[in-house]
Amino acid sequence: MQPVNVQPSDGSGSAVLAEHSTTSRLATIKTLLQPVLGKLAVPAVWALVLVMIPLSRLFSSYFPSWSLVSNTITLGLFLTVISFGQGLVILSGGIDLSVPSVIAVAAFFTGSLASSGWATIPAAICGVAIGSLIGLVNGLIIARSTFPPFIVTLAVSTIGSALLLGISAGKPGQTAPSGLSSLFDGSLSIAGIPFSAVLLLLAILVGSWIQFRTRLGRRTYAIGNSPQAAVYAGVRVRITLVMVYWLAAIGYGIAGVLLMGYGSGSDLNLGATWLLPSIAVVVVGGSSIAGGNGNYLGTVGAALLITIIGIDINAVGLSQGFKQALYGAVIFIALVLGRLGRGRE
Amino acid sequence: MKPRQSRRALSDNSKATVGIAAGIFVLLYLLLTLVSPISATSFIINNFIVLTTPLAFAASGVTLVLLIGGFDLSVAGSISLSNVIAATTMAAHPHSSWGIACLVLVMGAVIGLVNGVCVAVFGLPALGVTLSTNFILAGIALAVLPAPGGSVPAAFASVLSGTIGGTIPVALLALVGFSLLWLLFIKSRTGMSALAIGGDVKAARLSGIAVRRVQIVVYALAGLCYAAAGLYFSALTATGSPTSGSSFLLTAFAAAALGFVSFRGGRGSAIGAIFGAATLTVIPKFLFAWGIADFWVGAFQGLVILVALTIPWLTTKIAGLRKRDGEEVTVGSGPTQSISAMAETA
């Protein structure tokens, strides 16, 4: 009896297993491909970047020029680095409103440590580490609770900004150490390529590597798609979320240090204007604002696109208010396009 | 029989949480009068109510949208824009300030309507839509009035921030009137539907509730609340500022949390949120009375919000436990009896 009983069950079992594995492999390939290649958004955004460079002629007779391209690369670098963090958080199904305070904290401590005699690189590392504490706290709270990320990040960053205001009382402005300012004054170049372009390439490589090649990146996709399913699939959701918010804040902190070098100094409002564009760029780059779907290359393209548009608006001389309203409108249009894209599929 | 029962259960639940929210506020205010006895004078009380009112309206709007399980970040931009429009147009036409106030209210409702249509009809995510409208509105406010300025006629401001006969604050009347309107709304068909949608959208749709219509109405009413908040803020400060609303984003949600409004929909009351707003306004007064430096207020507010966020979570936990106990007593009496009988026989 026993061998007869075992054989069919064994055979059918392995058949079911094989069938299951092929379908699941197909499914995993599909789910892996969809965010990476599936959307037209990435090529469309990069095409728009290329089109916008000659089109900026419409905004100013001095454009297009080499200075437009180099300014786009330099200013786009900051947005690329910031939106890496924002993109990762949005990918995980959250949203991060702590961008401005992390930038300000990282820049302030870099400047104040450097001015108290530290070498530039340790000061910058320490500044970024202190700023990233905000992200760490965000991540710990969001991972342990069911609170909405937008209000947690807002509350934590309000505390962070207030503490910074208290600590910096009387001396809010900091001058950048000379090592940082020299990054952007054109004195540094590698094989004839300006240093900001090198940094941009580095940011793209590291960002894509983290999002596509590391376990953390893949787990972030899984959590954004469905936290419940991620739990069943054995993803350690809490640790991953803490890492996502922490890593994001490290990105903002690095951007804060770079911004300080670009402006040769910092004040407490250094990061105030970067929150909006960071969200706009992620959505325009084809990521779903609900999470689970996104591509850093699209985000980078959108960062360059938004930067060119910002430069054009400044060249025309429109006010800050118009710029802000335009960012809002861009987010809205991207939302509608994303919705239409999903509807057609 | 059944719907009436559930209706009573709902109102009982919200009554209890509103009572707790009110109790926390009253306790804190009494403590404040101990720290600084001047807070007990009618002048300071009137000032306090006037100071609370904009936040109370803003928190009520946020509460409306939270009730249906959505998020509305356009609160900040809406308040900025209505403040800026009131301050610029009222300065130009001081005699028609009440007409302008009505137009601002209509504008707020239309903004909310747009949000609601985008969310309900086009199926866009509420967070994304209201974030983008928030930025658009804040941008328009900045374009209309690039730097703080403008003014609100004294006749308009003094009515809203004054008293009737020197004793009853107009702001208090506004809040009481608003609370009565809220009670009417929440007992109405639309209000009950809103609670049902917040509890479970699918179930609400299956039971024949016009989900889209209710969502649109709720967003529009929320927009109306923000405009009212902006108008009251204008009367309070008697001037306009393009960034006046930005501080309300955090505090409005915090006030809702302190008013025991659930962030996951279906549970909460604007009256609770009003008391939450009052609690949030008392706290800086304590810091001031103790002589703590101004910039720590921000840190403290952030902390209060994080603590307040745990309150609804705790109450749902406690309520959940109590509910489970209740079910065991009424519904589960059969099985438990049989189990205990089995245990006895064993």
Side-chain angles (χ1 to χ4, degrees):
Chain A
M1 274 300 276
Q2 266 191 344
V4 184
N5 229 346
V6 167
Q7 242 180 353
S9 78
D10 213 36
S12 69
S14 65
V16 166
L17 246 173
E19 203 178 316
H20 180 72
S21 72
T22 47
T23 51
S24 73
R25 201 174 295 151
L26 268 178
T28 42
I29 288 169
K30 217 173 166 188
T31 47
L32 278 179
L33 278 184
Q34 218 163 23
V36 182
L37 297 173
K39 293 272 175 175
L40 274 172
V42 179
V45 165
W46 281 97
L48 273 176
V49 172
L50 294 181
V51 169
M52 270 312 287
I53 291 175
L55 269 187
S56 52
R57 178 85 196 186
L58 296 173
F59 297 92
S60 162
S61 55
Y62 295 106
F63 291 159
S65 64
W66 274 116
S67 80
L68 172 72
V69 175
S70 76
N71 273 333
T72 304
I73 288 172
T74 308
L75 290 173
L77 167 68
F78 308 130
L79 203 46
T80 302
V81 176
I82 295 169
S83 61
F84 163 72
Q86 186 68 267
L88 205 61
V89 169
I90 289 179
L91 191 62
S92 77
I95 195 159
D96 197 341
L97 304 188
S98 69
V99 175
S101 81
V102 178
I103 290 177
V105 169
F108 173 82
F109 280 103
T110 304
S112 101
L113 288 175
S115 64
S116 68
W118 287 44
T120 307
I121 291 174
I125 291 173
C126 218
V128 171
I130 295 172
S132 75
L133 288 179
I134 293 176
L136 189 62
V137 175
N138 281 335
L140 286 171
I141 296 175
I142 289 164
R144 299 293 301 189
S145 69
T146 55
F147 308 156
F150 83 90
I151 195 150
V152 172
T153 54
L154 194 59
V156 173
S157 69
T158 306
I159 297 173
S161 301
L163 290 179
L164 180 63
L165 195 63
I167 291 165
S168 70
K171 210 185 166 212
Q174 293 289 336
T175 43
S178 58
L180 275 179
S181 326
S182 65
L183 291 180
F184 298 103
D185 62 6
S187 61
L188 276 176
S189 68
I190 292 174
I193 306 167
F195 200 69
S196 50
V198 175
L199 284 176
L200 180 68
L201 277 178
L202 197 67
I204 296 172
L205 286 177
V206 173
S208 313
W209 177 72
I210 292 175
Q211 204 177 42
F212 300 133
R213 294 276 164 219
T214 63
R215 202 185 286 171
L216 178 75
R218 288 194 293 268
R219 287 179 170 174
T220 310
Y221 275 106
I223 293 172
N225 265 315
S226 165
Q228 204 68 46
V231 170
Y232 292 142
V235 174
R236 289 157 76 193
V237 174
R238 280 181 178 164
I239 297 258
T240 310
L241 278 178
V242 173
M243 291 300 292
V244 162
Y245 281 89
W246 195 17
L247 207 59
I250 290 174
Y252 313 146
I254 292 172
V257 172
L258 293 175
L259 273 169
M260 185 186 200
Y262 179 71
S264 302
S266 79
D267 60 25
L268 300 184
N269 293 322
L270 184 68
T273 51
W274 293 96
L275 172 62
L276 262 179
S278 78
I279 299 169
V281 155
V282 172
V283 179
V284 171
S287 302
S288 156
I289 200 162
N293 193 351
N295 184 338
Y296 186 54
L297 295 178
T299 307
V300 174
L304 296 178
L305 180 66
I306 294 264
T307 305
I308 296 177
I309 293 174
I311 293 173
D312 285 342
I313 290 175
N314 282 345
V316 176
L318 286 175
S319 72
Q320 183 64 30
F322 277 107
K323 209 166 165 181
Q324 196 169 342
L326 189 90
Y327 283 142
V330 164
I331 296 178
F332 185 77
I333 293 167
L335 282 176
V336 173
L337 287 179
R339 172 78 192 158
L340 289 177
R342 259 176 290 141
R344 235 181 277 134
E345 269 167 21
Chain B
M1 193 60 192
K2 233 180 181 172
R4 184 166 298 169
Q5 237 173 9
S6 67
R7 189 177 297 193
R8 194 184 302 154
L10 268 174
S11 68
D12 276 355
N13 183 19
S14 75
K15 250 182 223 161
T17 54
V18 168
I20 298 171
I24 291 174
F25 162 65
V26 170
L27 192 71
L28 281 177
Y29 202 90
L30 287 177
L31 281 175
L32 181 66
T33 58
L34 290 180
V35 178
S36 67
I38 198 173
S39 317
T41 61
S42 69
F43 176 73
I44 299 287
I45 290 177
N46 179 36
N47 267 358
F48 178 81
I49 295 170
V50 172
L51 199 62
T52 305
T53 309
L55 183 57
F57 280 130
S60 303
V62 165
T63 298
L64 270 166
V65 178
L66 283 174
L67 268 192
I68 59 165
F71 282 116
D72 194 348
L73 305 189
S74 71
V75 49
S78 298
I79 291 177
S80 296
L81 187 60
S82 42
N83 170 237
V84 161
I85 286 183
T88 50
T89 53
M90 281 183 186
H93 311 279
H95 294 294
S96 46
S97 34
W98 292 102
I100 292 169
C102 290
L103 285 179
V104 169
L105 288 177
V106 170
M107 180 195 75
V110 170
I111 292 168
L113 192 76
V114 172
N115 280 335
V117 168
C118 288
V119 171
V121 180
F122 301 138
L124 299 174
L127 200 68
V129 167
T130 55
L131 190 74
S132 68
T133 46
N134 181 38
F135 291 144
I136 293 171
L137 296 171
I140 295 172
L142 207 56
V144 171
L145 191 69
S151 70
V152 174
F156 177 78
S158 63
V159 169
L160 287 185
S161 58
T163 54
I164 290 176
T167 46
I168 306 165
V170 175
L172 185 64
L173 287 180
L175 288 180
V176 170
F178 180 80
S179 303
L180 292 176
L181 284 177
W182 169 265
L183 289 177
L184 283 179
F185 166 76
I186 211 66
K187 293 269 155 61
S188 74
R189 206 185 168 80
T190 311
M192 294 302 296
S193 306
L195 286 174
I197 292 170
D200 189 340
V201 186
K202 273 182 193 158
R205 192 171 285 131
L206 287 175
S207 60
I209 290 171
V211 173
R212 286 180 178 176
R213 192 184 61 83
V214 174
Q215 281 175 329
I216 293 172
V217 169
V218 164
Y219 274 96
L221 287 176
L224 194 68
C225 289
Y226 306 147
L231 283 174
Y232 234 104
F233 188 78
S234 312
L236 177 68
T237 59
T239 180
S241 162
T243 55
S244 56
S246 53
S247 67
F248 282 91
L249 181 59
L250 186 63
T251 49
F253 280 95
L258 283 172
F260 298 95
V261 177
S262 165
F263 277 49
R264 312 172 104 193
R267 221 174 296 129
S269 159
I271 302 171
I274 291 172
F275 283 114
T279 303
L280 208 58
T281 318
V282 170
I283 289 166
K285 305 249 169 225
F286 269 106
L287 299 181
F288 184 72
W290 287 329
I292 292 168
D294 213 22
F295 46 77
W296 296 113
V297 172
F300 209 77
Q301 269 183 339
L303 269 180
V304 165
I305 286 148
L306 290 178
V307 172
L309 277 174
T310 60
I311 295 172
W313 175 73
L314 280 176
T315 49
T316 49
K317 272 228 148 149
I318 293 163
L321 284 175
R322 204 179 291 154
K323 205 173 173 187
R324 222 170 292 151
D325 288 347
E327 274 170 5
E328 257 176 28
V329 170
T330 55
V331 186
S333 57
T336 42
Q337 260 179 354
S338 63
I339 287 169
S340 58
M342 270 162 67
E344 263 172 43
T345 52

